[in-house]
Amino acid sequence: VNKHKPWIETSYHGVITENNDTVILDPPLVALDKDAPVPFAGEICAFKIHGQEMPFEAVVLNKTSGEGRLRAKSPIDCELQKEYTFIIQAYDCGSGPGGTNWKKSHKAVVHIQVKDVNEFSPAFKESVYKATVTEGKIYDSILQVEAIDEDCSPQYSQICNYEIVTTDVPFAIDRNGNIRNTEKLSYDKQHQYEIMVTAFDCGQKHATEDVLVRVNVKPVCKPGWQDWNKRIEYRPGSGSIPLFPSIHLETCDGPVSSIHTTIELQTNYIGKGCDRETYSEKSLQKLCGASSGAIDLLPSPSTTTNWTAGLLMDSNDIIFKFDGKQGAKIPDGIVPKNLTDQFTITLWMKHGPSPGLRAEKETILCNSDKTEMNRHHYALYVHNCRLVFLLRKDFDQADTFRPAEFHWKLDQICDKEWHYYVVNVEFPVVTLYMDGTTYEPYLVTNDWPIHPSHIAMQLTVGACWQGGEVTKPRFAQYFHGSLASLTIRPGKIESQKVISCLQACKEGLDINSLESLGQGIKYHFNPSQSVLVMEGDDIENINQALRKVSYINSRQFPTAGVRRLKVSSKVQCFGEDVCISIPDIDAYVMVFQANEPKITITGMDHFARPAAQFESERGVILLPDIRIVSTVTKMEHPVDLREHDRANKQVVVEEMLHNLDFCDVLVIGAELDPEQECLELDHGELQGKHLDATNSTAGYSIYGVDSMFSYEQVLRQLRYRNWGPSATSDRKFRVKCSELNGRYTSNEFNLEVNILHSSNSNFMDHVNHMIVQPQFLQSVQHPEGSVGAVHNSVVPSVATIVIIICVSILVFVITLGVYRIRTAHQHSSAEHEGAKENEMDWDDSALTITVNPMEKYEKPHQTEEESEEEDIDDEEEDTTSAESDDSEEEEEEEEEEVIVQKGDKQNASRQEQL
């Protein structure tokens, strides 16, 4: 009989790990029944859970002991529900097998907690975090990043730590995700930082994806020029390029009333202060239209100008450096003793402060007594950073005080920079031009004239010759510094225009479109255009004006290297005690190296002429067809490769035009004997050109800055005469040209000239040689004249006799005449083909002559006397036989220079041979 109901605990506490089905209960699930051990009534058959859709079930493990188990029917997810509470009851098996009259226990409360598993990683709320900071400040917190974890338990759902993944950044982060900077940030150093941050939960599981944090650095508003490039590139031939095309001034809203800006191009380390033409002083003076007669006192050392050989010299620019221990004596006869009341001294000088407390005189140029006395007749020297010119006039009828010393005090004399000085003497007035600007002497002192004496004078450079008052004459008053292009021109003074041209810079600052500068902009250039000053009231107008400032270099081959730029600005404000200051701009122009030209001289390199032509009054033109060509090699990168499929060559050779500054025609071997030979040129050929020429037994030199075409024209008129005995049979010459005083030189073009001293006997030998070996017949060609070529056939006088005989018998023996004509025509064709393929080759041993018996066929009425006076020139026809008409034959007769008289016996002999 089922008398009692089952008994269970009143409450249970259980724990289940998520994603597991086993529930661990405390106390264990056990039901007891007092009816035990009665079958059925004392046994436990079931546990029932009361609650809506509880994901748990209770099963009986042992009916007799009443032991049970609580388990999950489906996976438990802590993130969906962290705990469950429900009612459980135990049921016995009733009074029989059918479970009738069963009894149930009281209700017990079961409270189950779900144990969390760390299955989720932290995730950041934002995909990208952004912040902006001002440079120069330390922040406690720039921004805060935040990550979350979907795990349900505090242990796994809380974020315990943040970490910056990016290394070497000036930032740190705390446990709460606050990012701060560890040092002051600079906008100039870095505009923006990008850092990666990760997060860790308390189970030390880190985020699957790091988050990007962008920190923008905002500059503190600094007044100054913005949007300019430090490096400006300049390629030769670019013309004028803007220096700062996008520049503008940031004033940070300051109350600006006016702006004063100075742009300075610093070129003092380029050449003599800037990029100038590096031609010789003579060539430059000719180019600038200076008066002739200037005497170069510091020329490059050579056999004729050897007094500068012992001086320290920079050969590139012909600069002489004086270290206070050297001087040069100018030989007698170089400079005339009487300079007259008008003369000019020009020089480039670079000079620094004089060493020592009591500075001595430093002599640039001095004319003093050679022996016995120590009188200075005229001198140019530096003393205590003053330039002094001394001129002691000779005694004449008026024995009175006269101006003798002229002093100029200029800062530039001791600034260690190159300056161009011109002393114009128009006694008693002496004017100094420095860098093209006129300066009057601040002090003029008078002195007595020098009494005449028999003592010779010594002209020196770099020191003054002390001939008297010492035991042994020696140099004194040495110069410390650098000199170049020191010239003296007796009898004339230079104009302001010529002086400006001689010292002009070929590079400088420029302004594009002056008319669009805008209203209210004042500007000023210094004479060399290396400094530009601009002033204006409106900021935008100043910006526009500065964008138009450009650099220009007009040299075809500029000096490569850096040109420094400095822009300094001053700002005035409206009644403000404290006004903004604008930092200077330090930039530079990089001038690239120009493509080097290759100068090539071509022309006929070997010819021969009869001696009579060389003996004539006009002589023989040496270089009738000389050609001077300059080419430059460029690298090209094709834009469209399809156009260059066949030959994708990147190297392109282009012909270019530029000036030359000298061409020398030098004699190879023994120098010319002035008693019997010379080189000649009509000086009328130099008129209208910037050219001059000097002649000597060593050769002919043409110099001056002019085009290659002008040099060609002049060289084509150069003649060689030789009226000496027959000992001279050949002469060799060499032609060499230069640009920029030897910076670029041409090839050495060699010319050989043969002088033919022909006689009757050896003439017959040549003819015999020609007839015996007809297969070696050669034609000789030589174009003569500078414009067109006049070609003459070489026909001996016997040809006319042969022609007359042929004509006379033509009527009687027609077949024989036809045969001869045909044979001669074929012979002539073979000769002309040989003329086109072979170069002429004359020597002294054999005179090769082409004879065409039918050459004069169209002049049957020519008399026998005329036939005996034919041209024996060495030039030959290089046109076809059809072009040899009557007019050409008339030219041949007019140009006859060598007449050979022949006897009847010789004529008969040649007729027989032919």
Side-chain angles (χ1 to χ4, degrees):
V1 178
N2 191 3
K3 295 180 179 180
H4 302 95
K5 58 182 180 182
W7 174 91
I8 58 175
E9 297 285 348
T10 57
S11 65
Y12 293 90
H13 290 279
V15 176
I16 184 172
T17 302
E18 64 176 338
N19 301 324
N20 202 343
D21 63 350
T22 303
V23 179
I24 300 172
L25 284 178
D26 182 25
L29 182 59
V30 177
L32 301 175
D33 196 319
K34 291 183 178 181
D35 294 324
V38 177
F40 300 107
E43 294 177 345
I44 304 299
C45 272
F47 291 97
K48 288 189 178 180
I49 293 173
H50 301 283
Q52 291 182 343
E53 299 179 0
M54 284 295 150
F56 297 98
E57 61 180 1
V59 295
V60 178
L61 297 178
N62 191 321
K63 291 182 179 181
T64 303
S65 63
E67 185 180 353
R69 178 188 291 176
L70 188 66
R71 64 187 181 189
K73 292 189 292 183
S74 61
I76 303 299
D77 191 349
C78 177
E79 285 73 39
L80 293 177
Q81 193 168 340
K82 295 181 180 180
E83 55 187 32
Y84 296 88
T85 302
F86 52 87
I87 302 298
I88 192 171
Q89 286 181 305
Y91 290 80
D92 61 16
C93 295
S95 55
T100 55
N101 299 321
W102 47 264
K103 292 183 183 296
K104 58 182 179 181
S105 69
H106 62 273
K107 294 179 179 180
V109 178
V110 180
H111 183 76
I112 297 177
Q113 284 186 327
V114 182
K115 186 180 179 182
D116 189 20
V117 174
N118 194 6
E119 57 183 334
F120 290 99
S121 299
F124 289 94
K125 287 186 175 181
E126 304 286 343
S127 59
V128 177
Y129 288 88
K130 296 179 182 178
T132 301
V133 296
T134 303
E135 65 174 341
K137 292 176 65 177
I138 294 289
Y139 290 80
D140 293 332
S141 176
I142 295 173
L143 79 161
Q144 184 180 23
V145 297
E146 187 178 358
I148 57 173
D149 195 314
E150 294 182 358
D151 288 313
C152 63
S153 64
Q155 180 184 2
Y156 297 137
S157 65
Q158 284 185 353
I159 305 299
C160 281
N161 195 20
Y162 291 92
E163 190 176 293
I164 294 176
V165 179
T166 309
T167 58
D168 298 327
V169 288
F171 297 97
I173 191 168
D174 63 13
R175 298 181 64 180
N176 296 321
N178 293 305
I179 297 176
R180 61 183 176 84
N181 57 320
T182 57
E183 61 183 51
K184 293 179 180 180
L185 305 179
S186 169
Y187 176 81
D188 296 332
K189 183 179 179 181
Q190 195 163 339
H191 296 354
Q192 186 187 71
Y193 292 88
E194 291 188 348
I195 56 177
M196 302 302 292
V197 175
T198 191
F200 294 89
D201 61 19
C202 294
Q204 290 304 304
K205 192 167 191 174
H206 66 80
T208 52
E209 290 187 6
D210 301 333
V211 71
L212 173 65
V213 180
R214 282 199 183 98
V215 180
N216 294 309
V217 182
K218 186 176 70 173
V220 174
C221 186
K222 295 177 182 177
W225 297 103
Q226 296 184 356
D227 296 335
W228 53 274
N229 292 323
K230 187 175 184 67
R231 174 187 170 106
I232 302 105
E233 295 183 349
Y234 186 86
R235 301 187 181 278
S238 301
S240 179
I241 61 163
L243 295 172
F244 310 110
S246 305
I247 197 168
H248 69 275
L249 181 63
E250 176 62 64
T251 60
C252 297
D253 301 324
V256 175
S257 62
S258 69
I259 307 166
H260 183 277
T261 301
T262 303
I263 306 103
E264 183 181 0
L265 180 69
Q266 298 174 344
T267 59
N268 49 359
Y269 44 87
I270 302 292
K272 301 190 195 81
C274 70
D275 212 359
R276 293 181 168 91
E277 295 293 8
T278 54
Y279 295 116
S280 66
E281 189 65 18
K282 271 189 175 181
S283 298
L284 272 179
Q285 291 185 351
K286 187 78 177 175
L287 186 65
C288 289
S291 308
S292 59
I295 301 163
D296 194 354
L297 299 181
L298 285 177
S300 297
S302 67
T303 53
T304 55
T305 58
N306 57 1
W307 64 87
T308 57
L311 301 178
L312 297 173
M313 177 183 170
D314 180 357
S315 57
N316 289 333
D317 295 316
I318 318 180
I319 294 170
F320 293 89
K321 298 178 181 178
F322 293 87
D323 56 2
K325 301 175 184 177
Q326 293 175 311
K329 289 182 181 181
I330 310 296
D332 296 339
I334 298 294
V335 179
K337 293 182 179 179
N338 183 17
L339 295 178
T340 74
D341 284 343
Q342 286 189 346
F343 60 92
T344 300
I345 299 172
T346 65
L347 71 146
W348 283 96
M349 182 174 73
K350 180 180 180 182
H351 182 263
S354 304
L357 295 175
R358 292 194 61 187
E360 291 188 356
K361 294 179 181 178
E362 297 181 55
T363 301
I364 301 168
L365 179 67
C366 179
N367 189 31
S368 59
D369 290 329
K370 188 176 285 189
T371 56
E372 299 182 29
M373 301 181 72
N374 190 29
R375 299 176 303 173
H376 294 186
H377 298 264
Y378 62 85
L380 184 66
Y381 60 90
V382 175
H383 189 212
N384 286 327
C385 290
R386 290 163 172 80
L387 186 67
V388 182
F389 177 65
L390 169 71
L391 179 61
R392 300 284 303 277
K393 297 296 288 183
D394 289 338
F395 177 81
D396 56 13
Q397 290 80 6
D399 189 7
T400 58
F401 259 11
R402 295 186 179 185
E405 282 190 1
F406 304 83
H407 299 249
W408 293 272
K409 185 179 180 182
L410 303 171
D411 295 336
Q412 292 89 337
I413 293 170
C414 287
D415 66 358
K416 295 184 180 179
E417 304 289 349
W418 280 105
H419 298 285
Y420 187 60
Y421 299 86
V422 178
V423 179
N424 261 357
V425 179
E426 201 169 9
F427 195 79
V429 178
V430 178
T431 306
L432 172 70
Y433 294 89
M434 192 204 67
D435 295 338
T437 306
T438 310
Y439 295 91
E440 298 296 332
Y442 82 94
L443 174 65
V444 178
T445 59
N446 296 340
D447 204 345
W448 294 103
I450 292 179
H451 286 268
S453 70
H454 64 283
I455 301 172
M457 290 180 285
Q458 177 64 61
L459 183 61
T460 55
V461 174
C464 200
W465 186 252
Q466 190 170 357
E469 303 176 5
V470 287
T471 55
K472 184 181 178 182
R474 58 180 175 82
F475 280 122
Q477 300 174 2
Y478 288 98
F479 181 75
H480 297 79
S482 297
L483 298 175
S485 304
L486 175 60
T487 69
I488 189 165
R489 178 181 282 103
K492 290 185 179 178
I493 61 172
E494 284 303 352
S495 65
Q496 176 84 38
K497 182 179 178 182
V498 171
I499 292 169
S500 298
C501 173
L502 288 172
Q503 61 90 37
C505 285
K506 292 297 181 179
E507 66 179 340
L509 299 173
D510 193 18
I511 297 179
N512 291 334
S513 60
L514 282 170
E515 62 278 359
S516 61
L517 261 187
Q519 297 292 329
I521 299 293
K522 299 176 184 177
Y523 70 93
H524 171 70
F525 282 104
N526 69 334
S528 62
Q529 286 196 213
S530 61
V531 178
L532 169 62
V533 179
M534 306 179 81
E535 192 171 352
D537 301 333
D538 184 72
I539 294 176
E540 187 54 36
N541 282 348
I542 283 285
N543 290 341
Q544 292 289 343
L546 201 54
R547 288 170 194 160
K548 297 178 186 299
V549 177
S550 59
Y551 169 80
I552 187 170
N553 192 318
S554 59
R555 291 192 67 193
Q556 194 171 10
F557 305 106
T559 304
V562 169
R563 316 293 198 269
R564 295 192 185 95
L565 273 171
K566 185 175 183 180
V567 181
S568 53
S569 305
K570 294 180 181 178
V571 175
Q572 290 186 349
C573 300
F574 291 102
E576 296 286 331
D577 293 335
V578 179
C579 198
I580 60 174
S581 62
I582 308 295
D584 293 345
I585 288 179
D586 287 312
Y588 64 92
V589 179
M590 173 56 73
V591 179
F592 288 106
Q593 181 76 45
N595 291 319
E596 292 200 1
K598 181 182 179 183
I599 306 169
T600 307
I601 303 175
T602 57
M604 182 176 59
D605 59 359
H606 186 191
F607 70 85
R609 292 285 187 280
Q613 290 193 19
F614 292 95
E615 294 170 5
S616 66
E617 185 180 348
R618 297 290 294 173
V620 173
I621 291 178
L622 273 186
L623 306 160
D625 62 344
I626 191 170
R627 183 97 165 84
I628 306 173
V629 176
S630 182
T631 55
V632 65
T633 303
K634 293 183 178 179
M635 298 296 291
E636 268 200 4
H637 303 282
V639 179
D640 188 0
L641 291 176
R642 288 175 297 179
E643 298 178 4
H644 301 266
D645 285 340
R646 293 186 64 186
N648 188 12
K649 293 182 179 179
Q650 294 183 338
V651 179
V652 177
V653 178
E654 294 181 356
E655 187 172 337
M656 72 179 302
L657 297 176
H658 59 77
N659 291 328
L660 300 175
D661 60 351
F662 70 79
C663 282
D664 290 338
V665 181
L666 302 174
V667 179
I668 302 176
E671 292 190 356
L672 297 177
D673 184 357
E675 297 295 327
Q676 61 181 18
E677 56 183 339
C678 69
L679 291 171
E680 290 182 346
L681 179 69
D682 293 335
H683 280 270
E685 299 293 337
L686 302 176
Q687 290 182 358
K689 303 178 178 70
H690 297 291
L691 298 178
D692 211 339
T694 57
N695 192 3
S696 71
T697 56
Y700 214 97
S701 180
I702 302 163
Y703 61 89
V705 182
D706 214 325
S707 66
M708 292 183 287
F709 178 71
S710 294
Y711 270 91
E712 283 180 2
Q713 285 183 312
V714 173
L715 286 170
R716 287 175 182 175
Q717 302 304 317
L718 186 63
R719 304 184 307 277
Y720 172 59
R721 289 181 60 207
N722 188 316
W723 60 91
S726 59
T728 306
S729 60
D730 65 327
R731 265 294 182 192
K732 294 181 180 179
F733 300 92
R734 177 173 295 155
V735 184
K736 190 173 183 179
C737 295
S738 150
E739 163 66 337
L740 293 175
N741 206 21
R743 178 176 171 187
Y744 305 117
T745 56
S746 70
N747 61 314
E748 293 184 347
F749 175 75
N750 294 320
L751 168 68
E752 183 175 351
V753 178
N754 294 127
I755 304 171
L756 302 176
H757 301 279
S758 55
S759 62
N760 292 342
S761 59
N762 62 24
F763 180 81
M764 287 302 300
D765 291 340
H766 295 322
V767 173
N768 289 333
H769 177 74
M770 176 189 71
I771 294 167
V772 171
Q773 297 176 331
Q775 66 269 30
F776 296 112
L777 274 176
Q778 262 185 317
S779 62
V780 182
Q781 71 177 42
H782 170 66
E784 179 172 320
S786 60
V787 180
V790 180
H791 306 280
N792 298 332
S793 298
V794 182
V795 182
S797 59
V798 70
T800 308
I801 302 173
V802 174
I803 292 168
I804 294 174
I805 295 172
C806 290
V807 172
S808 63
I809 66 172
L810 188 60
V811 179
F812 303 99
V813 193
I814 189 67
T815 54
L816 181 61
V818 170
Y819 174 76
R820 288 198 178 191
I821 292 171
R822 185 177 301 170
T823 304
H825 178 70
Q826 293 173 353
H827 189 77
S828 176
S829 299
E831 290 168 3
H832 288 301
E833 288 175 7
K836 293 175 183 177
E837 294 174 0
N838 299 310
E839 272 188 296
M840 97 200 123
D841 186 12
W842 280 82
D843 58 24
D844 295 337
S845 61
L847 178 63
T848 307
I849 304 172
T850 301
V851 179
N852 186 354
M854 303 305 298
E855 191 78 16
K856 299 288 184 175
Y857 179 73
E858 295 184 10
K859 298 186 73 176
H861 303 294
Q862 190 175 18
T863 63
E864 190 167 339
E865 290 79 87
E866 290 172 332
S867 70
E868 291 182 5
E869 297 179 7
E870 286 298 322
D871 196 345
I872 313 270
D873 203 333
D874 62 8
E875 297 171 320
E876 178 183 328
E877 192 74 30
D878 67 346
T879 59
T880 63
S881 59
E883 292 171 322
S884 303
D885 56 10
D886 291 350
S887 62
E888 291 184 359
E889 292 169 12
E890 291 168 7
E891 290 177 10
E892 293 169 4
E893 292 171 2
E894 290 172 4
E895 294 178 6
E896 255 182 326
E897 293 180 6
V898 181
I899 298 174
V900 184
Q901 300 292 339
K902 303 290 185 287
D904 294 335
K905 187 176 180 180
Q906 292 172 335
N907 291 341
S909 173
R910 288 178 200 173
Q911 177 182 350
E912 188 178 324
Q913 289 174 348
L914 288 169

